[in-house]
Amino acid sequence: MGKSIHKLNKLIDDNIDEIIFQRRYLHSIPELGYKEFKTTDSIINFLKRRNINVDRFNDITGAYVKINNNCEDTVVLRVDIDALPLTENTNLEFSSKHEGIMHACGHDVHIAIGLGLAIILNEIKESLPVNIMVVFQPAEECNPEGGAKKVIDSGIFEDVNIIGIIGFHIWPSYKVGEIGIKKGPIMASSDKFEILIKGESSHAAEPQNGIDAISASIDVISMINNIRKEINPFIPTIVSVGQINSKGRYNIVCDSVEIKGTVRTIDEDIRTKIHERIRNILEGVKLSKGIDYSIHLENGYDIVINDDRLTKKFIKNAISVLGEENVNSDISPSLIGEDFGFYREVAPIMYFHLGGDSIYPLHSDNLIIDENAIGIALKLLTSFILNYNKNN
């Protein structure tokens, strides 16, 4: 095993410059979800130049690699490939060439790590205790129709004995060489609500002839914001109104207000309860104010729940690679949404946060990730796969 680890580290060192070069190219050509055409072509061409078999999805963008060592079990490594509708402000030499689109969530780094994993694991496949799939998934940012469901529906996992699916995300607040991980829920569900409050217009001087939708919306928003007080404060949960729209004039009683917001939690029962409470609030305001309403309350991404056994294995290996001081193994769950949770339909999952060392957060137009994170991720993930033992 020592020789295999030495070979692994040498492979990473020998390939890292090429992988980083590819990352920079990908950063310069960001594409939105389900439109990652250049990105997909680049992934495929890069891997084919390295004599790695890679397949394109039939009905969506993205690709996948199968590394078969004739083992009974398969481990899947998933990386997301889409960008965000944001104008880049980093002044990097390899900044986005696509106006109004940027890899502001670090998915270009994820792709580079996926490419490196495919190269290195393919080189040492005779030493691997499991078969490998590397999935380059489109449209992670496209809540609620994220690419994870489309990948599952594509059938690539059928007739494959998958024992674990591993995902990760670059995390700006951690230093390079650090990770964050925990058993159980690590990322929240991410639901969306759209409410239309329907009143009746009248002249502002004759309010008795109208039904004020603005007044009713104030009540609705106030009560929605107070739902959090009905929830156990030790369970990460948020109900947030992010948008209010109305039409009319200063001297007319408003007849309609649109309210949009999000519900996020790491508890499925709380998720259901909040949905019910929002509907009950609207019914109550309808009775008290005389308004009518419509609501579209949409389930978005599921909670990302790390499998206990798989996570325990990963933490043990991470400590051996990074040192115990760099493995934050009981972090607070994030209320950011991630479609990776849908993969629980296929097999146990495990997801972690990878240190990227940036003063700017995810989705910032100034986000710059330390590229040393790529080599760290490759050492961490390839070591985990190489040492994988399903029996302990």
Side-chain angles (χ1 to χ4, degrees), residues 40 42-48 50-57 62-69 74-79 111 113-123 125 128 131-137 151 156-157 160 162:
T40 299
S42 180
I43 290 167
I44 291 171
N45 292 336
F46 179 84
L47 292 172
K48 284 186 174 179
R50 301 300 300 259
N51 298 315
I52 295 173
N53 292 325
V54 56
D55 293 298
R56 189 187 299 267
F57 288 108
Y64 58 98
V65 172
K66 291 183 178 181
I67 301 172
N68 191 346
N69 194 26
T74 296
V75 170
V76 177
L77 300 159
R78 171 273 205 172
V79 295
I111 302 168
I113 293 167
L115 294 173
L117 288 169
I119 291 170
I120 292 159
L121 294 175
N122 189 62
E123 284 286 337
K125 67 180 178 182
L128 299 180
N131 300 322
I132 298 296
M133 292 182 68
V134 183
V135 175
F136 297 90
Q137 179 210 296
V151 168
I156 66 168
F157 301 135
V160 181
I162 298 172

Side-chain angles (χ1 to χ4, degrees), residues 24 27-28 88 90-97:
R24 294 181 178 184
H27 186 91
S28 73
E88 183 161 354
T90 63
N91 295 316
L92 292 168
E93 291 182 2
F94 49 92
S95 289
S96 172
K97 298 175 183 176

Side-chain angles (χ1 to χ4, degrees), residues 20-297:
I20 288 175
F21 180 86
Q22 186 67 9
R23 177 259 162 165
R24 294 181 178 184
Y25 172 70
L26 290 163
H27 186 91
S28 73
I29 58 159
E31 296 171 295
L32 301 179
Y34 298 122
K35 297 178 181 178
E36 309 98 327
F37 303 112
K38 292 181 182 178
T39 303
T40 299
D41 287 343
S42 180
I43 290 167
I44 291 171
N45 292 336
F46 179 84
L47 292 172
K48 284 186 174 179
R49 289 197 300 270
R50 301 300 300 259
N51 298 315
I52 295 173
N53 292 325
V54 56
D55 293 298
R56 189 187 299 267
F57 288 108
N58 290 328
D59 300 321
I60 54 173
T61 44
Y64 58 98
V65 172
K66 291 183 178 181
I67 301 172
N68 191 346
N69 194 26
N70 297 315
C71 298
E72 178 183 354
D73 303 319
T74 296
V75 170
V76 177
L77 300 159
R78 171 273 205 172
V79 295
D80 38 14
I81 68 173
D82 57 326
L84 289 162
L86 201 66
T87 298
E88 183 161 354
N89 191 34
T90 63
N91 295 316
L92 292 168
E93 291 182 2
F94 49 92
S95 289
S96 172
K97 298 175 183 176
H98 293 172
E99 186 176 352
I101 307 175
M102 176 190 173
H103 268 299
C105 205
H107 293 186
D108 54 324
V109 175
H110 300 175
I111 302 168
I113 293 167
L115 294 173
L117 288 169
I119 291 170
I120 292 159
L121 294 175
N122 189 62
E123 284 286 337
I124 62 170
K125 67 180 178 182
E126 295 82 4
S127 304
L128 299 180
V130 290
N131 300 322
I132 298 296
M133 292 182 68
V134 183
V135 175
F136 297 90
Q137 179 210 296
E140 185 277 326
E141 300 286 356
C142 296
N143 192 357
E145 295 298 326
K149 282 187 174 182
K150 300 283 189 180
V151 168
I152 294 167
D153 291 343
S154 73
I156 66 168
F157 301 135
E158 293 176 5
D159 302 319
V160 181
N161 187 39
I162 298 172
I163 57 173
I165 303 178
I166 298 169
F168 60 90
H169 205 293
I170 202 76
W171 216 248
S173 59
Y174 287 132
K175 300 296 183 183
V176 169
E178 289 184 319
I179 66 165
I181 190 171
K182 71 179 298 292
K183 297 177 183 178
I186 187 169
M187 303 284 276
S189 57
S190 177
D191 302 337
K192 179 181 179 181
F193 58 84
E194 297 181 354
I195 298 166
L196 181 63
I197 304 294
K198 304 173 185 177
E200 292 181 13
S201 65
S202 69
H203 197 288
E206 298 175 332
Q208 73 277 10
N209 295 327
I211 300 174
D212 189 347
I214 288 179
S215 174
S217 71
I218 291 169
D219 289 351
V220 168
I221 293 167
S222 176
M223 285 186 278
I224 285 176
N225 285 336
N226 279 329
I227 291 176
R228 187 64 188 86
K229 295 181 180 179
E230 304 171 23
I231 305 300
N232 185 335
F234 296 103
I235 299 176
T237 303
I238 196 164
V239 188
S240 179
V241 172
Q243 190 174 5
I244 307 167
N245 296 309
S246 66
K247 296 179 180 179
R249 296 187 77 237
Y250 77 98
N251 64 344
I252 296 176
V253 171
C254 181
D255 66 352
S256 69
V257 175
E258 186 180 47
I259 303 167
K260 296 182 181 180
T262 187
V263 177
R264 294 165 185 251
T265 183
I266 63 164
D267 185 284
E268 199 63 45
D269 290 339
I270 289 174
R271 185 184 192 184
T272 300
K273 177 181 178 180
I274 292 173
H275 289 198
E276 292 174 350
R277 284 292 293 120
I278 291 173
R279 295 182 188 279
N280 290 341
I281 285 168
L282 289 166
E283 280 295 309
V285 174
K286 178 180 179 179
L287 289 172
S288 65
K289 295 285 190 177
I291 55 97
D292 200 358
Y293 70 87
S294 63
I295 179 171
H296 179 62
L297 213 168

